[in-house]
Amino acid sequence: KLLESENGDSQIYVCFIIAGVMMMGEDGISNMLAYISNRKEVAAIGAKLYAVGGTLAHAGVILNMGNLQGWMYTRHSKYDEMYFNYSAYSALRSGITMIRLEDIQKYGSFDERFGGEYSMIDYTYTMKKDGRLCIYDANADYQVRPARSRDADDCFETISGKLKEYHEFIGKYPEVDKYGDLYYSNSVKVIDK
């Protein structure tokens, strides 16, 4: 998308959308574009992603929740009371993510060691480490239609695939393992029921 500002500058934005993701309503892309285009410090913006049936697949990423990254509000209904706004995160998940073309040129290509969800997590975390912001836009609603045998929190890749990439990610960024997520307390952990 080419957007021209009032001073005549033009900017190109690239939106990465995983197969099976569809916009709910008419203003998801424009909400994301309006926010990122007005804030130069924002390097990437992601959206709220629902699974079929109206439960949330994710609404943001928390790094290092046990052995896997945590998805905010996973399995909540769209009717549940949740905090919906623009929120900063250490990284963004694959699904739908918008980035300026000039930032893609600055940060280069995706790390080929990551072929699944961690490709976007790695890329956006690199931006965050560089002092930029990664924003989740709760006003941009999308739905993912995973294969029939997969559920909301496993809609992009298998658990074993996630674990392999998690260990690769921790090897690249040991501070995540040591200190946890920049935006969440280390006391926030996954609890097995």
Side-chain angles (χ1 to χ4, degrees), residues 55-71:
T55 58
L56 278 171
H58 83 93
V61 175
I62 304 174
L63 296 177
N64 198 26
M65 294 277 290
N67 288 327
L68 295 171
Q69 69 281 8
W71 309 138

Side-chain angles (χ1 to χ4, degrees), residues 133-174:
L133 290 176
C134 298
I135 298 294
Y136 149 72
D137 180 0
N139 301 305
D141 294 333
Y142 294 82
Q143 184 179 59
V144 61
R145 293 186 177 271
R148 291 182 184 183
S149 62
R150 306 176 95 169
D151 65 18
D153 60 351
D154 188 28
C155 56
F156 295 112
E157 61 182 313
T158 64
I159 294 294
S160 61
K162 288 179 186 179
L163 279 170
K164 180 178 181 288
E165 291 202 348
Y166 166 80
H167 292 298
E168 193 75 46
F169 183 82
I170 291 300
K172 186 174 179 180
Y173 305 109

Side-chain angles (χ1 to χ4, degrees), residues 81-130:
E81 194 172 314
M82 290 173 268
Y83 177 74
F84 287 142
N85 208 328
Y86 296 98
S87 304
Y89 284 90
S90 296
L92 298 174
R93 180 185 185 185
S94 297
I96 176 159
T97 309
M98 185 180 291
I99 303 172
R100 285 182 186 83
L101 179 60
E102 71 179 33
D103 284 326
I104 293 171
Q105 292 166 338
K106 175 183 177 180
Y107 293 100
S109 59
F110 286 75
D111 189 328
E112 293 182 6
R113 290 179 287 178
F114 304 106
E117 292 178 8
Y118 273 95
S119 62
M120 188 60 73
I121 290 170
D122 169 71
Y123 200 76
T124 54
Y125 184 68
T126 301
M127 294 170 158
K128 176 61 194 161
K129 282 181 59 99
D130 193 35

